[in-house]
Amino acid sequence: YKRRQQIGRITTGTECLDLLLDGGLETQGLTEVYGEFGSGKTQFCHTMCVTVQKPKEEGGLDGTALYIDTENTFRPERIREMAEALELDADKILENIIVFRAPSSFHQMNFIKKEAKNIIRQKNIGLLIIDSLTSHFRAEYVGRGTLSERQQKLNEHIHDLVKLAEMENVAVVFTNQVMEDPGIMFGDPTKPIGGMVLAQASTYRVYLRKAKED
């Protein structure tokens, strides 16, 4: 009960989204952001890297961010633009973001298992981002024959993230890719990769999609 009282919230910078998330992104929990290419998943992650650094009274955590980049999507120049728009010190904001480039699913899993905890403690990390969680798994485990092994690895990885979030009181955000379910005749056939393994581990799932006309 005492640990639950320590849950912090990070503003998304968007009032309606904060309302949906009951005040912002929760620490001690996992938030999944999924959607098609170009729907704004990485922009969302960049925004959160800035807002986590705001003082608590302004919706931040006075903390820093750890960004695990699996698709070479991190753009420091975008962070600078966002910081300047909020009239924050862009250099200081950038200094408070640690980026780890994960070239494979092995490196991604190993980093979370062995390195992340020490960095979180040493650097006052309030937010851990993985953009994207599933891309390496999707590329490395191809075909139906490898599906059960892929799901097993994803399951292990996501449980390591749940433990980190809970024990270190950080907010974990990961982006996820989507695919179309050919079995769905009516409504939106888009669904996130990873099946029930990811669905059950996430505290919140945010589906981003493009409005009509860009």
Side-chain angles (χ1 to χ4, degrees):
Y1 176 72
K2 279 181 180 171
R3 198 162 75 205
R4 293 281 305 167
Q5 298 302 300
Q6 293 168 352
I7 286 178
R9 293 183 188 280
I10 313 164
T11 177
T12 61
T14 307
E15 237 175 273
C16 55
L17 196 47
D18 282 353
L19 193 66
L20 282 170
L21 296 171
D22 202 19
L25 290 190
E26 268 187 21
T27 62
Q28 298 181 33
L30 270 60
T31 303
E32 174 185 1
V33 181
Y34 71 95
E36 292 174 352
F37 173 79
S39 58
K41 303 184 297 291
T42 296
Q43 292 300 322
F44 179 81
C45 293
H46 281 57
T47 304
M48 298 313 303
C49 284
V50 177
T51 58
V52 69
Q53 299 186 43
K54 285 181 157 189
K56 289 183 180 175
E57 58 273 16
E58 289 178 29
L61 288 181
D62 262 328
T64 57
L66 175 56
Y67 197 111
I68 298 168
D69 184 1
T70 69
E71 297 183 292
N72 196 21
T73 49
F74 183 76
R75 296 289 176 269
E77 59 275 20
R78 189 73 192 101
I79 297 283
R80 180 173 284 281
E81 286 169 10
M82 289 175 172
E84 285 168 356
L86 292 168
E87 296 180 354
L88 300 168
D89 180 342
D91 290 331
K92 193 176 171 207
I93 293 289
L94 278 168
E95 274 172 27
N96 285 334
I97 304 169
I98 296 162
V99 181
F100 171 73
R101 183 92 171 85
S104 69
S105 64
F106 169 78
H107 288 91
Q108 185 177 325
M109 290 179 73
N110 209 42
F111 181 79
I112 292 297
K113 247 186 218 312
K114 297 183 176 172
E115 313 287 335
K117 186 163 76 175
N118 288 336
I119 293 172
I120 286 167
R121 290 179 177 181
Q122 287 166 16
K123 301 288 185 182
N124 185 32
I125 303 288
L127 173 69
L128 167 64
I129 288 171
I130 306 181
D131 185 24
S132 98
L133 184 95
T134 48
S135 63
H136 285 320
F137 293 93
R138 199 179 184 184
E140 292 165 21
Y141 297 92
V142 181
R144 286 201 173 276
T146 63
L147 189 62
S148 79
E149 190 186 351
R150 183 187 85 175
Q151 290 305 91
Q152 205 178 332
K153 292 279 185 196
L154 265 177
N155 194 27
E156 185 187 335
H157 189 39
I158 206 85
H159 277 85
D160 286 341
L161 287 169
V162 169
K163 265 189 282 187
L164 258 188
E166 287 182 355
M167 302 309 289
E168 304 303 322
N169 193 24
V170 295
V172 174
V173 177
F174 63 88
T175 64
N176 192 3
Q177 299 173 336
V178 294
M179 63 182 206
E180 292 210 346
D181 186 344
I184 294 177
M185 302 295 287
F186 303 100
D188 189 349
T190 309
K191 66 176 198 178
I193 303 291
M196 293 309 287
V197 165
L198 297 192
Q200 290 173 347
S202 306
T203 317
Y204 292 102
R205 307 189 94 185
V206 179
Y207 175 25
L208 296 181
R209 64 180 181 192
K210 289 179 183 175
K212 285 173 186 166
E213 288 161 32
D214 207 25

